[in-house]
């Protein structure tokens, strides 16, 4: 596919959650799979709810996930482009002024819902006489402007849903210009997708009807390039409810603060909703090769955060030292070396948990002595250094022979004395890291 260009278009009215991140990831994987570009577009036409802090936060979250972009735009920088497009629509007779107040529009919608109908604007404004319009203007009312939908069929072949057909009579004329003169997302998005040369609009299914409306706006603006559309099914929580930005626990920021890795989130989100297996992938590039939009089905996938946690543990178990060096330094664990990482990683749920084992190996600890005579006897049999991975099996064999113990009775008191934990990384690898002096002191019950 030549010249693929997608966009991820978050509204900076909050931080992004896993559902938004999934949209970004799907776009990113699609673009990278086809050698295309990613445009990050901040949909900030709503000046009241959009903030600079959220805009920066969204960018930070995307970078942390590893989802980079090739081009960047903010709708608030492009208001002149939208105004120019609105003028063209007015000239073509496709944009008409309406004088209803917000309350009046809301009341109309309530009445339609109460009557069991669809929320479709009744086009009352088209029936206003010039005189009525003048009266509204003299009252100081400013018009908002609606796009005149044509009552005809609009169709497209959706990358996920297949052929979609909408009849114009089932669509409501959308407001494109608010009473304060600012453009709405509906217009801005069409102008941007055209002028910024987007080839594929890939977004959630909550935008399917929007696409029918926006296709008519593309056409009215004479946008001849054909844009491809795909709408994926939205994630729900485990109870089957929509995810909203208010679900703080599912924000990317909070998952990061919990110590989960970006790839645990990406690995799940890339496959959720497809029949493909969810695997602990450690590199984003490994998700690119097999990526195929048509693998996404129509059933709503459920998101279970525990699945991210399980994937995270599986990923951490496989992470080579060079992939965690930077993160360890950020966690003030810069002293951790490759041997230590390799010794503990299979026992960690999160990279940060390496800190606990680092402290156990490097800082004084009160040993747990359950059987003083036995561990003292074992201390007496510790071989001289240098120690290697064969020290533990050689030593415990000797201790077993001298005391007649085996299995748990042999190993558990030693583990408790050496680490003060019942479980943990293999002692074969930990023992050389602890070193003889510390091991011997702990076996004698000294805090060392
Ligand atoms: N800002 C819109 C949203 O977050 C973007 C929709 C689109 O991709 O066109 O829903």
């Amino acid at each position: 596919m030549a010249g693929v260009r997608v966009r991820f278009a978050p509204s900076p009215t909050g931080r992004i959650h896993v559902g938004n991140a999934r949209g970004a990831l799907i776009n990113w994987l699609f673009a990278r799979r086809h050698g295309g570009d990613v445009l990050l577009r901040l949909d900030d036409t709503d000046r009241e709810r959009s903030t600079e802090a959220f805009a920066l936060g969204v960018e930070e979250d995307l970078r942390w996930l590893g989802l980079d972009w090739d081009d960047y735009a903010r709708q608030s920088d492009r208001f002149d482009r939208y105004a120019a497009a609105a003028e063209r629509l007015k000239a073509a007779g496709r944009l008409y002024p309406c004088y209803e107040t917000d309350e009046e529009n809301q009341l109309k919608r309530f009445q339609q819902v109460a009557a069991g109908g669809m929320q479709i604007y009744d086009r009352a404004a088209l029936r206003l006489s010039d005189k009525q319009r003048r009266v509204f203007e003299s009252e100081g009312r400013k018009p908002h402007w609606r796009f005149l939908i044509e009552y005809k069929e609009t169709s497209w072949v959706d990358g996920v849903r297949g052929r979609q057909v909408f009849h114009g009579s089932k669509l409501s004329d959308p407001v494109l210009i608010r009473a304060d003169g600012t453009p709405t997302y509906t217009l801005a998005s069409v102008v941007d997708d055209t002028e910024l040369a987007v080839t594929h609009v890939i977004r959630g299914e909550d935008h399917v009807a929007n696409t029918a409306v926006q296709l008519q706006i593309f056409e009215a603006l004479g946008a001849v390039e054909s844009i491809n559309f795909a709408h994926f099914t939205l994630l729900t929580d485990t109870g089957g409810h929509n995810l909203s930005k208010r679900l703080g626990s599912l924000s990317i920021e909070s998952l990061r603060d919990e110590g989960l890795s970006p790839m645990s989130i990406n690995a799940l989100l890339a496959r959720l909703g497809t029949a493909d297996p969810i695997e602990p992938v450690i590199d984003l590039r490994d998700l690119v090769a097999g990526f195929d939009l048509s693998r996404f089905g129509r059933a709503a996938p459920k998101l279970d955060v525990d699945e991210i946690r399980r994937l995270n543990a599986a990923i951490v178990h496989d992470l080579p030292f060079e992939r965690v060096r930077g993160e360890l330094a950020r966690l003030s664990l810069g002293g951790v070396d490759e041997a230590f990482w390799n010794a503990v990683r299979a026992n960690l749920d999160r990279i940060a948990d390496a800190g606990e084992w680092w402290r156990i190996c490097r800082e004084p600890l009160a040993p747990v002595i359950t059987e003083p005579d036995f561990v003292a006897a074992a201390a007496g049999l510790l071989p001289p250094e240098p120690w290697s991975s064969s020290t533990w099996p050689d030593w415990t064999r000797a201790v077993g022979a001298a005391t007649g113990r085996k299995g748990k009775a042999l190993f558990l008191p030693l583990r408790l004395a050496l680490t003060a934990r019942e479980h943990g990384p293999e002692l074969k690898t930990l023992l050389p890291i602890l070193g003889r002096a510390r091991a011997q002191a702990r076996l004698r019950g000294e805090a060392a």
Side-chain angles (χ1 to χ4, degrees), residues 7 9-11 41 43 185 189 201-203 206-207 214:
R7 84 290 199 281
S11 306
R41 186 184 85 195
D43 284 1
Y185 146 80
S189 185
V201 171
I202 306 170
R203 55 187 175 185
D206 49 335
H207 286 287
Q214 289 181 325

Side-chain angles (χ1 to χ4, degrees), residues 228-257:
N228 302 281
F229 287 89
H231 298 84
F232 49 82
T233 314
L234 297 179
L235 292 185
T236 67
D237 61 20
T238 43
H241 304 106
N242 290 345
L243 306 182
S244 92
K245 276 191 182 166
R246 280 170 289 282
L247 280 175
S249 62
L250 292 180
S251 75
I252 297 303
E253 188 184 23
S254 68
L255 296 174
R256 180 185 55 202
D257 290 348

Side-chain angles (χ1 to χ4, degrees), residues 155-167:
S155 66
W156 72 94
V157 178
D158 193 283
V160 172
R161 303 163 67 89
R163 189 174 150 77
Q164 303 289 298
V165 185
F166 276 80
H167 198 275

